[in-house]
Amino acid sequence: MKVIYKITYPNKKIYIGMDLKNDINYFGSAKSEIISSDFTEDQRVSFSIRRDILWSSETASDQEVRRKEIELIRHFHANDPLIGYNRWPRVNSRLND
């Protein structure tokens, strides 16, 4: 099963990613330094994140999954630094409308 997931952090910012194996222990490849800059040392002692499956397929090609991931990043504006931790695709109002 291939999935696109959304991770929500305690500050309500999100990260959207794909997992071609639906590994329950995979939480993406967001840049740690970007996320950690949003949290104090005290906040980092204990916090919870939420991982939601937004889309799944048993038959989609890897290329189709990658296209769907980009579509959902844009849909949720996860590449807007005020909303999410995705840094690609870059925010461009022409592409995100």
Side-chain angles (χ1 to χ4, degrees):
M1 178 75 70
K2 299 173 184 184
V3 300
I4 307 293
Y5 56 85
K6 177 177 75 170
I7 295 176
T8 305
Y9 291 86
N11 60 0
K12 305 301 182 207
K13 285 189 177 183
I14 61 174
Y15 177 81
I16 293 178
M18 68 174 185
D19 183 351
L20 300 176
K21 299 177 186 173
N22 195 19
D23 181 351
I24 195 166
N25 196 37
Y26 183 66
F27 290 91
S29 56
K31 300 237 184 255
S32 294
E33 60 273 6
I34 295 171
I35 297 169
S36 64
S37 70
D38 281 344
F39 296 92
T40 67
E41 288 299 320
D42 287 343
Q43 291 171 323
R44 293 171 67 173
V45 171
S46 177
F47 68 92
S48 298
I49 62 172
R50 179 180 176 114
R51 181 177 181 256
D52 295 292
I53 303 296
L54 301 175
W55 178 89
S56 63
S57 176
E58 293 182 358
T59 60
S61 69
D62 292 0
Q63 185 176 11
E64 289 171 313
V65 178
R66 287 183 180 89
R67 278 195 301 264
K68 189 67 173 179
E69 177 190 29
I70 292 168
E71 174 188 323
L72 290 171
I73 288 169
R74 289 179 172 150
H75 174 77
F76 285 97
H77 304 282
N79 55 344
D80 178 339
L82 298 175
I83 296 171
Y85 292 115
N86 291 86
R87 293 299 176 257
W88 187 89
R90 291 202 179 271
V91 175
N92 180 329
S93 60
R94 268 193 355 243
L95 297 176
N96 289 323
D97 289 341

